[in-house]
Amino acid sequence: MTAWAAAPVLRVAEQVASDLVTQVSNEPFEIIWKHLGDAVQVELRQRISHDSDPKGPTADVEEWGITFAGESRVHWARIALPGSAESVQAEWSEETSRGPHWLGFLADASDLLAGTLDPGMVPAIIAQIVVPRLATWCAVYTIESASAPANLAYLWHSDESRNDDLRAMLTGFAVPRGISITHLGDSQVVSVPLIARGRALGVMSLGRPDRFPDETVQFAEDISRRAALALDNARLYAEQAAARRALQRSLLPPSEPVVPGLDYGVIYEPAGEGNEVGGDFYDLFKAGDGSWRFAIGDVCGTGPEAAAVTGLARHTLRLLAREGYGVAAVLGRLNQAILEEGERARFLTLLHGEITPSESGLELRMVSAGHPEALRLRPSGVVEPVTTPQSLLGVFPEVVFEADTVHLDPDDVLLAVTDGVTERRSGGRLLDDDGGLGKMLAECAGLSARAVAERIRRGAADFAPEPSADDQAILVLRAER
């Protein structure tokens, strides 16, 4: 917003900043632009240097000076904006009747408000849109519910140094819920409610030392409607994002268990903006009788619909495993449960296994239901597939699954991934073409399970420049010595 306000004096401000920088000593510094309503102040902040003799900028400025605070020095210069805040307001009131300028500013305001989906940013944008064009200061209040009190979310004065005084003056201000014109201190105050989709979301209060023209009040109402819609959209987006995060957390293991003789690493990256819930999942949990179970699966599709099937699969696996069903029997019953979902059902690929520690490593019994094949890495660097492909879940009602038995010697690694990794695309090639995943795994000999998982994730990310369009899950199991 400072850059927008400084547009009329942009070249001068850049020259001033350049002049200040040429005078700095060999110490770190920072340049700050401040919008003061009727002026722009350019500041250079740096630790005190005793061998420098700062001078004023070569550009034409209103005033300049040096301020000391502790061990810091601020070398500043102030550039007057064309017209004071009051004259800008007067000119604006005259121009609103001309049509195009009014419509253009409304369009710009709408673009600014639509540019964020952060509910905390919308009040700040509202205030900085109307000051100093419509008012000398603005206070934006938000309302959580019809019975809740109004909360001061943001305030802005054309003279930034008066923000604290304005906040003190507004203490105890009775915020009206409807359109109101009152007086507070030396200001006339116009309050306009922020209403969207029939709900009161807040109040926008504008203040200026003289009377508000009728055109300005009408214009404030137009701004308030756009502002309220932007605030409502941001709140809805935030609520949906929170719901997605809560759903995603419910689909991931609640804790990381300690399994004797096992070092493991997992990575989960859902596709979609804002890390939406996805159809990929993993799990590792104690099943009883000295054994543990693991799973990595991929539901067809992404988003909440896929997540519903993910939840069904994960909880069914845990329930049946703890009731003593073997891995093959668990998948048979899960297949039936998915088919019983009817039209809501989705195809599911799944690798489900049982881990039993032994004196010579780990014994695994696994079933791969339509899932990308699991790979075993020997300490020598040899990589081999260790699962037999079988039918995916949710397709055939009478499929019978059989478990594969695999032994992991100490330092052997088992890698299982979803197709978001194996089918990562770069042009016309997939990552797993010509055994690409196996070649990547062969380079991980001697690494910990977490390091292997990270190496595979990084290799998949580097394979293609664009973001992944599919969820990705990586599960690595390594037998410890």
Side-chain angles (χ1 to χ4, degrees):
M1 295 304 297
T2 297
W4 168 76
V9 293
L10 185 58
R11 287 189 178 182
V12 177
E14 289 177 341
Q15 180 61 48
V16 169
S18 177
D19 290 344
L20 297 183
V21 169
T22 59
Q23 302 182 50
V24 300
S25 59
N26 190 23
E27 293 283 348
F29 67 91
E30 59 179 336
I31 289 286
I32 297 173
W33 289 27
K34 285 185 176 180
H35 176 213
L36 304 181
D38 58 353
V40 170
Q41 182 163 298
V42 181
E43 297 181 354
L44 186 146
R45 298 185 179 182
Q46 188 181 32
R47 290 175 60 88
I48 295 175
S49 177
H50 299 286
D51 58 353
S52 61
D53 183 19
K55 301 178 178 60
T58 59
D60 184 22
V61 298
E62 185 178 40
E63 57 180 324
W64 70 276
I66 300 174
T67 303
F68 294 92
E71 296 185 354
S72 299
R73 182 190 68 187
V74 180
H75 190 181
W76 56 269
R78 187 170 301 165
I79 308 159
L81 289 172
S84 64
E86 287 73 18
S87 63
V88 169
Q89 295 162 9
E91 291 169 5
W92 179 250
S93 297
E94 293 176 2
E95 292 177 359
T96 54
S97 61
R98 299 177 187 176
H101 192 270
W102 177 74
L103 294 175
F105 189 72
L106 274 181
D108 290 343
S110 297
D111 289 343
L112 285 169
L113 290 166
T116 180
L117 289 173
D118 181 354
M121 284 295 297
V122 175
I125 293 174
I126 294 171
Q128 297 191 43
I129 283 174
V130 298
V131 175
R133 286 295 187 181
L134 300 185
T136 304
W137 58 264
C138 173
V140 180
Y141 297 85
T142 56
I143 300 173
E144 297 300 326
S145 65
S147 59
N151 174 59
L152 179 58
Y154 195 86
L155 60 80
W156 185 251
H157 198 289
S158 59
D159 182 353
E160 186 180 357
S161 64
R162 297 184 61 183
N163 279 341
D164 290 340
D165 293 338
L166 175 60
R167 186 181 300 275
M169 185 176 68
L170 291 172
T171 302
F173 176 58
V175 182
R177 298 300 177 100
I179 298 177
S180 171
I181 300 179
T182 59
H183 283 83
L184 182 65
D186 60 354
S187 298
Q188 185 181 65
V189 180
V190 171
S191 297
V192 184
L194 302 176
I195 299 175
R197 301 182 176 96
R199 293 190 304 131
L201 305 178
V203 176
M204 177 178 71
S205 294
L206 311 178
R208 59 189 289 174
D210 57 343
R211 175 184 170 277
F212 278 93
D214 293 341
E215 297 86 351
T216 301
V217 176
Q218 294 173 5
F219 192 77
E221 293 178 20
D222 283 338
I223 291 290
S224 73
R225 285 191 287 270
R226 288 162 171 78
L229 187 60
L231 182 59
D232 195 40
N233 288 340
R235 286 186 175 182
L236 290 174
Y237 179 84
E239 291 172 1
Q240 292 170 0
R244 288 194 298 268
R245 289 192 295 270
L247 176 57
Q248 190 62 70
R249 286 194 296 268
S250 73
L251 299 177
L252 297 177
S255 61
E256 296 186 354
V258 177
V259 183
L262 175 68
D263 171 31
Y264 65 92
V266 293
I267 288 178
Y268 175 74
E269 292 185 347
E273 182 181 358
N275 285 338
E276 294 183 355
V277 293
D280 288 12
F281 71 99
Y282 69 90
D283 206 355
L284 179 63
F285 58 93
K286 185 174 178 60
D289 299 328
S291 67
W292 282 259
R293 295 288 180 95
F294 69 91
I296 181 170
D298 183 1
V299 179
C300 176
T302 60
E305 295 82 2
V309 178
T310 298
L312 170 66
R314 180 171 172 270
H315 293 297
T316 300
L317 288 174
R318 284 188 168 234
L319 177 63
L320 295 177
R322 286 169 177 165
E323 289 186 356
Y325 288 90
V327 291
V330 167
L331 263 66
R333 284 160 175 77
L334 176 58
N335 181 60
Q336 188 62 37
I338 294 174
L339 290 171
E340 289 174 357
E341 288 291 297
E343 295 182 356
R344 296 179 298 176
R346 298 225 171 177
F347 303 148
L348 169 65
T349 72
L350 180 67
L351 175 68
H352 179 44
E354 181 181 58
I355 305 171
T356 304
S358 68
E359 294 182 358
S360 59
L362 299 173
E363 293 291 335
L364 307 182
R365 288 179 56 80
M366 299 182 292
V367 177
S368 178
H371 202 75
E373 59 187 7
L375 302 177
R376 177 173 57 187
L377 169 65
R378 298 288 194 180
S380 62
V382 174
V383 175
E384 56 188 343
V386 292
T387 52
T388 303
Q390 301 182 55
S391 174
L392 75 166
L393 304 176
V395 180
F396 304 110
E398 297 180 356
V399 64
V400 177
F401 296 99
E402 296 183 1
D404 296 309
T405 300
V406 179
H407 182 78
L408 294 185
D409 291 326
D411 293 331
D412 281 357
V413 171
L414 181 81
L415 170 66
V417 301
T418 56
D419 62 10
V421 176
T422 57
E423 297 181 4
R424 183 92 161 98
R425 181 176 294 277
S426 177
R429 286 183 53 80
L430 301 180
L431 183 145
D432 202 31
D433 285 349
D434 301 323
L437 181 61
K439 295 175 183 177
M440 195 180 299
L441 178 61
E443 300 174 354
C444 299
L447 299 180
S448 68
R450 292 182 183 275
V452 172
E454 178 57 32
R455 180 74 65 86
I456 299 301
R457 183 205 66 77
R458 189 170 64 251
D462 294 343
F463 183 75
E466 65 276 358
S468 176
D470 195 5
D471 306 329
Q472 294 183 359
I474 301 170
L475 173 65
V476 178
L477 308 177
R478 184 180 71 88
E480 294 182 320
R481 288 189 177 276

